[in-house]
Amino acid sequence: MIILERSTGIPSAYRKMICFQAARNGYDNLVIKMLDTGLDVNGINSDASTPLAGAAEGGHCSTVGLLLDRGAMVRKFCKDAFVCAAGAGQIEVLEMMLRRGIDMKADERMFRAFVAAVEGGSSIGAQFLLDNGLDIR
């Protein structure tokens, strides 16, 4: 793939877009290549979303894991990767984040995730949160 060979010649704004789309689609090798050029793992796109939020919403556990290993923050600005995963019903990603010790009390994360799951029509996401300690009383 030519883009992998010449990624350092790509302007930063495009590398950011490529990294976000690669993460959203689970293209781990391309995400790694973009990050290896010095791209900020917590860089945001025009929707105030991060590669981690895109990977979480897309259900790409390996991409989520590599981004977390590279220092990605679960919440950066207004997009929370856990909330995105809940809204999309990405149970494997939610389970992985819980195993990695995500702070469920931060910024009312569980409640926001529950709202996202309900708004997104993800009954499995909502049920997962209830099964993992969300108290709606």
Side-chain angles (χ1 to χ4, degrees):
M1 195 183 267
I2 293 174
I3 195 165
L4 293 175
E5 299 301 321
R6 299 183 183 163
S7 63
T8 57
I10 300 171
S12 178
Y14 290 106
R15 283 188 287 131
K16 187 187 299 184
M17 285 188 287
I18 291 166
C19 188
F20 179 81
Q21 293 302 326
R24 174 181 273 167
N25 290 298
Y27 301 145
D28 293 356
N29 290 337
L30 186 52
V31 170
I32 290 167
K33 188 65 173 178
M34 292 295 101
L35 294 176
D36 285 348
T37 67
L39 196 64
D40 179 7
V41 71
N42 291 304
I44 60 168
N45 68 6
S46 59
D47 294 332
S49 189
T50 62
L52 180 60
E57 190 170 16
H60 303 292
C61 287
S62 63
T63 310
V64 168
L66 84 84
L67 290 165
L68 290 171
D69 290 345
R70 293 281 189 114
M73 296 185 312
V74 174
R75 182 164 190 212
K76 173 79 174 180
F77 301 103
C78 67
K79 293 280 184 168
D80 184 306
F82 189 85
V83 172
C84 290
Q90 301 295 353
I91 302 305
E92 289 181 33
V93 171
L94 296 172
E95 289 172 339
M96 184 183 74
M97 288 182 162
L98 288 177
R99 281 193 310 271
R100 285 181 169 244
I102 184 175
D103 181 5
M104 296 309 302
K105 297 183 193 253
D107 300 320
E108 299 178 334
R109 180 171 281 137
M110 284 283 265
F111 296 111
R112 290 184 302 108
F114 188 74
V115 168
V118 172
E119 284 178 344
S122 175
S123 60
I124 59 170
Q127 189 61 52
F128 176 86
L129 295 167
L130 291 169
D131 294 344
N132 283 277
L134 177 63
D135 182 3
I136 58 173
R137 289 179 278 155

